[in-house]
Amino acid sequence: DNASPWGSGADPATRYVARLGPGTQPAQTSALRVVARLLGFPSPVDVPWHCMTVTEADALAATIRATLKQGYANRVLAAVRGVLDVCRSERWLVTPKDSHGYPVGQGEHCTELKERLKSKKVTGQRYGRELAETEILALDASCQKDGILGIRDAAMLALGLGGGLRREEIAALLNQNNLDIMQSPISP
């Protein structure tokens, strides 16, 4: 029986995303949407994660690895493993039966599925890298030419470099509704 054992908002995908930090939630939600589309479902909420078989996990992993860049494929696979962890921890996985009809342990089944969905080591050029001092100075000099917006950009650059922030985290700071550099300082 493939009927969902959860009600609205209590599905494993939603519960997995809710466990993540606010900076990670959008990326993993997007990754789960990719998986839902690959599996032919309108959204991650509609996927019967609890019924996934080893054969389906193998096919899903092969499709993800064949169609997505390796680094992104690893993120997507990590999201699926996270949802399966929720299914296991909340005892939602359908326990498969062995060839004699005896139940296979849920923990072993989840471990096997996660093994099939393991990430691969990223090889080749990495997208993120440390900036050289000359690059940082050039960015700062470029900011100094743009008036008040350049001051804002220099502040964001300093915040990012000093705080070890990733570019998406810096961009998220710029998108805050409480930041209006033209009218006032940052509001509480």
Side-chain angles (χ1 to χ4, degrees), residues 72-182:
Y72 187 60
N74 286 344
R75 175 181 295 200
V76 171
L77 291 169
V80 175
R81 289 192 311 270
V83 173
L84 291 174
D85 274 339
V86 170
C87 287
R88 180 193 50 77
S89 68
E90 300 192 15
R91 303 197 186 284
W92 284 339
L93 277 179
V94 173
T95 305
K97 306 217 181 312
D98 66 14
S99 59
H100 302 291
Y102 295 107
V104 176
Q106 216 178 47
E108 291 85 1
H109 178 58
C110 185
T111 301
E112 178 68 18
L113 290 176
K114 287 172 52 180
E115 186 66 31
R116 303 302 180 110
L117 296 163
K118 260 192 167 173
S119 299
K120 301 286 184 185
K121 184 175 180 172
V122 176
T123 58
Q125 183 179 358
R126 301 295 295 239
Y127 290 100
R129 64 176 180 81
E130 186 175 339
L131 294 175
E133 184 176 348
T134 55
E135 292 173 303
I136 294 169
L137 293 173
L139 284 169
D140 186 53
S142 174
C143 292
Q144 303 307 321
K145 300 176 189 173
D146 290 335
I148 193 160
L149 293 177
I151 293 170
R152 177 210 57 191
D153 293 346
M156 297 306 286
L157 178 64
L159 181 63
L161 292 169
L165 301 177
R166 296 174 289 203
R167 71 174 175 232
E168 66 185 28
E169 294 167 327
I170 296 169
L173 290 173
L174 286 173
N175 292 329
Q176 296 295 318
N177 292 330
N178 62 352
L179 178 61
D180 183 356
I181 65 161
M182 302 306 275

Side-chain angles (χ1 to χ4, degrees), residues 21-43:
T24 307
Q25 288 178 350
Q28 293 305 76
T29 299
S30 175
L32 291 174
R33 283 190 192 117
V34 168
V35 174
R37 281 193 302 273
L38 287 173
L39 294 173
F41 292 94
S43 79

Side-chain angles (χ1 to χ4, degrees), residues 16-69:
Y16 162 67
V17 171
R19 292 178 179 184
L20 303 173
T24 307
Q25 288 178 350
Q28 293 305 76
T29 299
S30 175
L32 291 174
R33 283 190 192 117
V34 168
V35 174
R37 281 193 302 273
L38 287 173
L39 294 173
F41 292 94
S43 79
V45 173
D46 301 308
V47 176
W49 302 101
H50 64 294
C51 295
M52 186 175 287
T53 66
V54 171
T55 304
E56 291 167 338
D58 285 341
L60 178 61
T63 302
I64 288 170
R65 290 182 185 122
T67 58
L68 303 175
K69 288 185 177 180

